[in-house]
Amino acid sequence: AIVAGVGLSSTGELIDRTTNEVSLQTIKAVSLLSREGIVYMLENAISNFVNFAPLGMVLVGMFGIGTAEGSGYISALLKRTVQITPAALVTPMVVFLGVMSNIASDAGYVVLVPLGALIFMSFGRHPLAGLAAGFAGVSGGFSANLMVGTIDPMLAGLSTEAAKMVDPNYVVSPTGNFFFMFVSTFLITILGWIITDKIVEPRLSKQKLDSVDSNDDSLKNLSDQEKKALKYANMTFFTLAVIVVLLTIPENGILRNAETGSIIDHSPLMNGFVTILAILFLIPSIVFGKVAGVFKNEKDVCAQLETAMKSMGGYIALSFVAAQFVNYFSYTNLGTILALEGAKLLQSLNINSTLLMILFVLFVGFINLFMGSASAKWAILAPVFLPMFMNVGISPELTQVAYRIGDSTTNIISPLMSYFAMIVVFAQKYDKKAGIGTIISTMVPYSIIFLIGWTILLAFWMLLGIPLGPGAGLTI
């Protein structure tokens, strides 16, 4: 209302939403407190929410991943993996599984972080070092993964909404950052390994531990029934994965683009990836639950699906507000004006794109200390920065990668992170004096080195001009 009242406007080249042609346009700020603005808010609140891109993708994905959590399938996979790990590889395995656990959203916080402490203790090592290694992988490497997880469609949906402010036809795929995050998984694992063994554990070893129960049965072998369930569930998973491959490889494969034959460009594989992911987790999880005795009948499965949806209540509430915010930014033209003026400023400064992305990573890392939710932050930052960077030739996928680096690396030192208090509680099992300061001081080396190492990887990636994901370049 204020900027519209003072007549704020900006002139620049934009894509016309009706003709898709680039033309020189003057964009004026529109007030939400005018008669038209109030009517717009009232009439479009529901459609803004229902058409919000990330909402459906995340909820569908949770059908599979939520069932995998509730059935015990993911927990059994984690435990079985660490049980067969050689002592010399305990640290990298804990960090690696922590990174991989984000495929199941927040499951790693509940399962792997306390499990990391128990694993280290069983090998005669400091349990808080294991807790720190697990926490570093789960939270510090939150965006990295060898697979596409729930965070990918969530951020891609928000990025798509923001990108449409510049190009109404632009779509950011959930796999848009896949190549970079695949490599990042190994980077975070190696860095976490070095930090834990060379910096964190030697310092923790000087501290006196409170007495702990070394006979905790959380690390005992899986029961015969659970082993059998895990075997059948894994066989089911790989069978489904083979079916997906067989439907993709042939030139006339069902999961290819029917017109072009492309696997990536507007193919059923990419467009239906979240649905495929949900199926890949849902069916094996039902098999595991049935064999393990967790699911007695279809009612138990339905109850678990209901529980999974209950856990998304906060996200659904957030999505309603985020959907309004994104659409208000578009309606009022504030995002477009900021993008145009910001692009002009960046162009006048003539800053190298690599340096620009590094500065953006640092900015996001700082903001993350005060606002923990990845989706909430991106809902605010994407409509401002993503179109701005698009106007200087930087792809939305590259901006999203830079955001994910900054958002992940400072999670582990932010008391405002939603799981931070829970980590403190886990630590107090081994050190009753542990508090927020204990966790922050322990995790600072991870945060700093992850931030530096990950940013250096991004800089080299940009210099080499490597695609960030299938069909996702560094520039537009």
Side-chain angles (χ1 to χ4, degrees):
I2 294 173
V3 295
V6 298
L8 183 67
S9 65
S10 182
T11 301
E13 290 189 345
L14 295 172
I15 297 177
D16 188 283
R17 291 181 179 270
T18 55
T19 63
N20 286 338
E21 296 180 354
V22 177
S23 61
L24 189 66
Q25 301 177 36
T26 297
I27 305 298
K28 296 181 180 180
V30 178
S31 173
L32 280 171
L33 297 183
S34 63
R35 183 183 185 281
E36 293 78 9
I38 294 173
V39 170
Y40 166 81
M41 290 190 286
L42 292 174
E43 292 183 343
N44 291 275
I46 295 176
S47 60
N48 289 344
F49 177 52
V50 172
N51 297 323
F52 191 51
L55 183 62
M57 290 192 290
V58 174
L59 293 182
V60 170
M62 277 303 296
F63 280 125
I65 294 171
T67 306
E69 290 183 54
S71 67
Y73 182 37
I74 287 180
S75 178
L77 276 175
L78 290 174
K79 290 181 181 180
R80 185 59 179 162
T81 303
V82 297
Q83 286 170 356
I84 62 176
T85 302
L89 298 179
V90 168
T91 303
M93 183 55 70
V94 169
V95 178
F96 174 76
L97 288 177
V99 175
M100 290 299 295
S101 70
N102 71 57
I103 186 70
S105 188
D106 297 335
Y109 288 105
V110 180
V111 176
L112 194 70
V113 174
L115 190 60
L118 292 170
I119 294 167
F120 268 51
M121 189 170 63
S122 69
F123 282 93
R125 299 176 62 179
H126 200 294
L128 291 185
L131 182 145
F135 187 29
V138 172
S139 196
F142 183 72
S143 268
N145 208 295
L146 299 182
M147 299 175 64
V148 175
T150 54
I151 189 68
D152 294 278
M154 186 184 299
L155 295 182
L158 290 167
S159 297
T160 297
E161 295 290 329
K164 287 180 178 178
M165 296 169 64
V166 176
D167 181 353
N169 298 315
Y170 202 103
V171 176
V172 179
S173 168
T175 60
N177 296 155
F178 177 69
F179 296 158
F180 184 83
M181 290 307 167
F182 186 95
V183 174
S184 297
T185 302
F186 298 102
L187 173 69
I188 295 299
T189 299
I190 293 171
L191 292 179
W193 184 3
I194 295 171
I195 297 165
T196 302
D197 289 355
K198 301 300 182 182
I199 300 176
V200 174
E201 190 168 16
R203 184 168 66 87
L204 287 172
S205 297
K206 299 176 183 179
Q207 300 177 4
K208 183 180 178 180
L209 280 177
D210 294 315
S211 60
V212 295
D213 180 10
S214 60
N215 294 318
D216 193 304
D217 62 4
S218 296
L219 281 180
K220 289 183 178 179
N221 291 331
L222 296 169
S223 67
D224 291 339
Q225 189 175 15
E226 288 175 321
K227 289 180 180 178
K228 182 180 179 181
L230 192 59
K231 176 183 176 181
Y232 282 111
N234 287 341
M235 289 173 59
T236 304
F237 180 89
F238 286 115
T239 301
L240 291 171
V242 169
I243 292 174
V244 172
V245 172
L246 292 177
L247 293 175
T248 305
I249 290 179
E251 292 185 3
N252 61 343
I254 294 175
L255 297 182
R256 288 177 176 263
N257 186 309
E259 297 180 359
T260 65
S262 173
I263 296 176
I264 297 171
D265 185 27
H266 298 293
S267 68
L269 178 66
M270 292 294 104
N271 293 339
F273 195 86
V274 174
T275 305
I276 293 171
L277 186 68
I279 294 172
L280 285 174
F281 277 94
L282 178 63
I283 297 178
S285 299
I286 293 175
V287 171
F288 180 92
K290 181 64 177 177
V291 177
V294 178
F295 298 148
K296 299 293 190 300
N297 50 46
E298 74 281 359
K299 292 181 180 179
D300 292 337
V301 177
C302 292
Q304 178 52 47
L305 291 172
E306 181 182 344
T307 300
M309 289 301 101
K310 285 181 180 178
S311 69
M312 298 304 292
Y315 174 70
I316 293 172
L318 167 66
S319 294
F320 178 81
V321 180
Q324 309 312 320
F325 182 88
V326 170
N327 281 278
Y328 291 171
F329 236 82
S330 176
Y331 175 81
T332 59
N333 291 329
L334 289 180
T336 306
I337 292 172
L338 281 172
L340 289 172
E341 294 304 311
K344 292 176 184 177
L345 175 61
L346 293 174
Q347 289 170 339
S348 66
L349 294 175
N350 196 27
I351 298 177
N352 178 275
S353 60
T354 303
L355 177 59
L356 185 63
M357 287 296 99
I358 292 174
L359 292 175
F360 184 58
V361 168
L362 296 176
F363 170 75
V364 174
F366 175 74
I367 294 296
N368 190 50
L369 293 173
F370 308 98
M371 188 177 185
S373 172
S375 55
K377 280 197 307 295
W378 195 225
I380 294 174
L381 297 180
V384 178
F385 287 98
L386 198 146
M388 181 190 303
F389 292 155
M390 285 180 72
N391 278 311
V392 293
I394 295 174
S395 72
E397 290 85 358
L398 178 55
T399 304
Q400 184 176 280
V401 157
Y403 170 79
R404 296 175 73 170
I405 294 173
D407 172 68
S408 297
T409 51
T410 55
N411 276 334
I412 48 182
I413 58 172
S414 172
L416 298 181
M417 197 270 290
S418 56
Y419 285 92
F420 203 88
M422 188 179 72
I423 304 301
V424 173
V425 172
F426 289 153
Q428 288 175 342
K429 178 178 179 181
Y430 309 101
D431 181 2
K432 290 183 171 56
K433 296 181 180 179
I436 292 176
T438 306
I439 302 301
I440 292 178
S441 63
T442 301
M443 303 309 297
V444 161
Y446 293 102
S447 183
I448 294 175
I449 296 175
F450 282 3
L451 181 61
I452 294 173
W454 218 343
T455 304
I456 291 174
L457 174 64
L458 177 62
F460 274 108
W461 202 281
M462 293 178 65
L463 290 174
L464 295 174
I466 305 172
L468 295 165
L474 300 172
T475 59
I476 55 173

